[in-house]
Amino acid sequence: MNIYDYIINDYKPDMGKRIRACRLQSSLTQENMAEILDISVKHYSEVERGITGLAVEKLIFLSHLFEVSLDYLLKGDGEPPQLPCVLIDIYRSCPDEKKKNLIELAKNLNELIHFNPEPQ
């Protein structure tokens, strides 16, 4: 294994532990997180166990959801989350039949926040 492979793969177990801690502090299940991130429960479980990573867009979304920096999620730098988070509180109090709508709204808001139109 070369140094690049070591550095690239070494972050995953610790990142997974931090994401798991955020999830538990938020009283969310792995199933909830998989639904929020629009991935399978198996994939999410592998993220928490450090087997695989997440797409950058999903990490950015998590940083907003848990109100933590990307540096914290990826490297453990900075402050741990100070939960509860407003978005998580809203999700938990939302009726089950409306949670999918809330998730879609949150994804659309995330896209709007990061929308950078090309100059004309």
Side-chain angles (χ1 to χ4, degrees):
M1 175 184 289
N2 66 39
I3 189 70
Y4 176 78
D5 289 334
Y6 177 78
I7 291 170
I8 292 301
N9 292 309
D10 193 46
Y11 78 96
K12 291 176 189 172
D14 290 334
M15 180 190 72
K17 289 175 188 172
R18 286 186 288 278
I19 291 173
R20 180 177 189 273
C22 290
R23 174 182 64 80
L24 292 174
Q25 281 186 304
S26 303
S27 300
L28 296 170
T29 65
Q30 286 190 345
E31 290 79 10
N32 295 144
M33 291 299 296
E35 182 180 11
I36 289 168
L37 294 171
D38 196 26
I39 60 176
S40 71
V41 175
K42 179 180 184 285
H43 182 170
Y44 182 78
S45 174
E46 289 174 350
V47 169
E48 281 195 1
R49 290 182 289 143
I51 295 169
T52 191
L54 285 170
V56 172
E57 295 83 9
K58 296 195 187 295
L59 288 170
I60 292 169
F61 182 79
L62 285 182
S63 76
H64 289 288
L65 180 68
F66 294 129
E67 297 180 347
V68 297
S69 70
L70 284 171
D71 276 350
Y72 175 77
L73 286 178
L74 291 168
K75 302 185 298 182
D77 294 346
E79 297 295 317
Q82 301 298 315
L83 298 174
C85 166
V86 173
L87 291 175
I88 294 168
D89 288 341
I90 292 169
Y91 180 83
R92 282 194 300 221
S93 67
C94 186
D96 286 343
E97 65 273 7
K98 296 192 178 190
K99 285 185 177 178
K100 284 196 182 286
N101 294 340
L102 182 61
I103 290 168
E104 281 304 310
L105 177 61
K107 288 177 183 177
N108 290 335
L109 284 172
N110 190 50
E111 288 176 18
L112 182 62
I113 289 168
H114 295 95
F115 178 70
N116 291 320
E118 292 186 24
Q120 301 200 21

